[in-house]
Amino acid sequence: MADAHAHHGPDYLEHHFETPLQQFDAAKLGMWIFLAQEILFFSGLFVAYFIFRSWYPEAFSVGSHLLDWKMGAINTVVLLFSSFTAAMAVRSSQLGETKKTTAFLAVTVVCALGFMVVKYFEYTHKIHVGLLPGSLFNPQGEGVEELRAAVEAAYASGPFEGTYPYHLRSFFGIYFVMTGLHGLHVLIGIGVILWMIVRNQKGAFTKDYNTPVDMTALYWHLVDLIWIYLFPLLYLID
Amino acid sequence: MAVEAGTAAPAAVENDESNYLTAKSGLKSWALTVDHKRIGVMYLVSVIVAMFLGGIMALLVRAELMFAGETLMEADTYNQLFTLHGAIMVFLFIIPSIPAALGNFFLPIMLGAKDVAFPKLNLGSFYIYVIGTVFTLIAIVAGRIDTGWTFYTPYSSRADNAVIWMTLGVFILGFSSILTGLNFIATTHKMRAPGLSWTRLPLFVWGIYATSVIQVLATPVLAITLLLLIMEKTLTIGIFDPALGGDPVLFQHFFWFYSHPAVYIMILPGMAVINEVIATFSRRKIFGYMFVAMSSVALALLGFLVWGHHMFTSGMSEYSTMIFSALTFLVAIPSGVKVFNWVATLYQGSISFETPMLYAIGFLILFTIGGLTGLFLGILSVDIHLHDTYFVVAHFHYVMVGGTVFGFLSGMHYWWPKMTGKLYNEGLARVAFGLIFLGFNITFLSQFIMGSQGMPRRYYDYLDQFQPLHMTSSGGAFVLGFGFLVLAVVFIQSMISGAKAPANPWGSAGFEWMTTTPPHAHNFETTPVITRGPYDYHLASEEELFDGFPEDRAAQGAKA
Ligand SMILES: [Cu+2]
């Protein structure tokens, strides 16, 4: 290799790597490190969640009843399924089945969009009825009725007399930050998967080279994993 | 021959790629480069500009404190200046200084790699750094930032909204740091040249590697903390503000969970440089190589367990304070291992005192003082007295400046010939060292005394009894500032009219000296094969340790 620019392998091999295997290994390690930092990023939120929940258990219980667990459950199923299709996309890409890869990636994007639509309805409803974080917390109209039902369900006690835990606002603070950041990750995921579809259609991926699809799927599994924790922690507190 | 590339051949005349500086030209060739060396140089320029800005602010702060009462500026301006000094120095200068600038340049070369594992990501990290910097600059113009660099709540959640710009800037800078760390970890694992086993890894690489691990694991926590603070200020989410049911101490926990490990993000790279310099200038293998390497990893891990020592007076349970205090003492062990091993390396070495070595010796002295005074602060009963006094200020400046900045300057002088291809004026460089070392000690020794007498940090005004010490401290700061001015002259003069540097001006056995000066665009003409460790002077060939020009050697060859 006298000339460093001399071609030293297949087209997809970047100049600073010696072999395709080295390139793949580096990408994989890099991706795992990235996922580790993502988990630590969210871990701060989970710590805040557990601290506030241990301080204000009644607020979290009422808050949880104010969330629509059915919508949460639908979204959980949708995301789990999309993780499956993402994995299938990697498999077909490894087998060199370009069309199938595109199809699986497309289904993944559709699921992700479905997730965001459900989230949109959840958010607009919460905003509409004033179930919001911190000083914005101001239940009105339907919100008051929901609040009444939630307090009664959480305490299984007497009729609602207009009192509810003050720290509900902290619950909604944590709810919006956690699901909002997760939703942002979903949106980024949609963008990346769409880009993968474009590249795949252009024939960038073959049996021998499909690292980007693989890495995208890894990212998508993480997004799924985080939701799997968020769903019970936020929607299913009794 | 240990490294089978690069040592040979005076730069062939028409070979475009033999010098990374001239391989391509034009602004675009820099702005869009993926060459880790050029990216390293761009970082170097950026951090030096940041250091200059932060330094000016420090001098203004010290000028104000020369006399009690109002001297130059109002209290309000003073509050903003010390905040900006801290924030700029920590986030724009110290954290990226050695890893992103010198690390970017030398880590791949020391590994015998052509580049980092992800060159485009590397360029991306640089631009993220630039964007983060722009946000912090907007913050300075947008309003008052007087929270101190720690952005403590509840004050910060109510302070001027410019704090949002500032924390957003630091948030963005954090991702630059995370992605750089990610890149270096993958590079160290996957890009090593044939024969370069972990036990032959230069200790600079070990240090940067340990730093990268902290960058990746700690910085996300700072990111989320600052994001929560931003949300607190914009959406009033009620996480930190007690009026909304939040907890301001939670912010401190989160902040220090990052910022104590960040101390190691700052100091480990300084230590990493010192290893190389001490080995080169005492012509010896680093004593206890594996202990020194592992102590970096140990510091990286222990660093995650001691954040509570910043909060002994913030209201923690007695048991927590005791545990945090005990864990803090453990940090002294790996730090001590390093210092003892360096001293043992010097023992019976054939030492020469060129400027990089002077800074390394300065580092040893100052870091030892900084480290030992840290133990005072780790003692619960003593900390109650010293907390938030100038003693703390002096302590962390001994570690951050005496440690990291001296390490950085040592590395700058040591690698300057390799990076620029030019030599600098050794005499003047020593004068600059003398001024910096002297000025630094005058500035901060007096602060240790003030602090132990109870002078609180960050105060605008003080009692008359502190007048002489404040005056001394300010005087030292101006000597220090003058030293940096001389240093600037040294480097500027070298760039304009410095003599051409040979490939290995210090006669070092380190791998980075085995390539041409300045390095080939791809670091080595062919991938090197490593057959010895970087400090194996007994295994290095005479030719590898030769410190002159190859053409001189050819001329001498006949005689020898
Ligand atoms: Cu600390």
Side-chain angles (χ1 to χ4, degrees), chain B residues 256 259-261 263-264 306-307 309-310:
Chain B
W256 289 111
S259 292
H260 187 83
V263 170
Y264 299 100
V306 299
W307 78 90
H309 64 214
H310 296 269

Side-chain angles (χ1 to χ4, degrees), chain B residues 113-281:
Chain B
K114 286 202 195 93
D115 209 319
V116 292
F118 313 112
K120 284 179 213 147
L121 183 70
N122 200 19
L123 181 67
S125 309
F126 176 72
Y127 281 108
I128 296 175
Y129 171 83
V130 172
I131 295 170
T133 307
V134 169
F135 273 77
T136 44
L137 293 180
I138 292 175
I140 297 176
V141 187
R144 297 173 45 218
I145 300 151
D146 52 1
T147 56
W149 76 278
T150 47
F151 310 117
Y152 266 21
T153 52
Y155 181 69
S156 60
S157 32
R158 297 176 178 201
D160 192 287
N161 273 336
V163 172
I164 296 179
W165 288 99
M166 189 64 156
T167 43
L168 209 54
V170 174
F171 176 84
I172 296 168
L173 289 169
F175 284 96
S176 165
S177 180
I178 291 170
L179 294 175
T180 302
L182 183 159
N183 221 331
F184 288 174
I185 294 174
T187 307
T188 310
H189 274 275
K190 300 296 176 193
M191 306 294 283
R192 302 196 307 277
L196 185 55
S197 57
W198 287 90
T199 50
R200 280 178 181 161
L201 223 49
L203 286 163
F204 180 74
V205 175
W206 270 110
I208 297 293
Y209 177 79
T211 309
S212 302
V213 171
I214 314 176
Q215 281 174 303
V216 169
L217 297 183
T219 319
V221 178
L222 176 74
I224 193 67
T225 310
L226 295 178
L227 197 63
L228 285 172
L229 180 60
I230 293 167
M231 305 258 190
E232 181 97 10
K233 287 183 77 70
T234 49
L235 299 172
T236 63
I237 52 172
I239 300 264
F240 301 130
D241 189 346
L244 293 169
D247 179 19
V249 179
L250 185 63
F251 178 88
Q252 294 188 24
H253 277 290
F254 277 177
F255 183 83
W256 289 111
F257 183 82
Y258 164 76
S259 292
H260 187 83
V263 170
Y264 299 100
I265 295 179
M266 303 180 218
I267 192 69
L268 280 173
M271 295 167 157
V273 172
I274 298 309
N275 287 310
E276 301 300 321
V277 172
I278 285 187
T280 294
F281 292 94

Side-chain angles (χ1 to χ4, degrees), chain B residues 400-421:
Chain B
M400 305 286 81
V401 183
T404 314
V405 177
F406 271 63
F408 176 67
L409 294 177
S410 179
M412 278 286 286
H413 286 84
Y414 180 56
W415 284 311
W416 181 266
K418 181 57 78 184
M419 291 190 288
T420 61

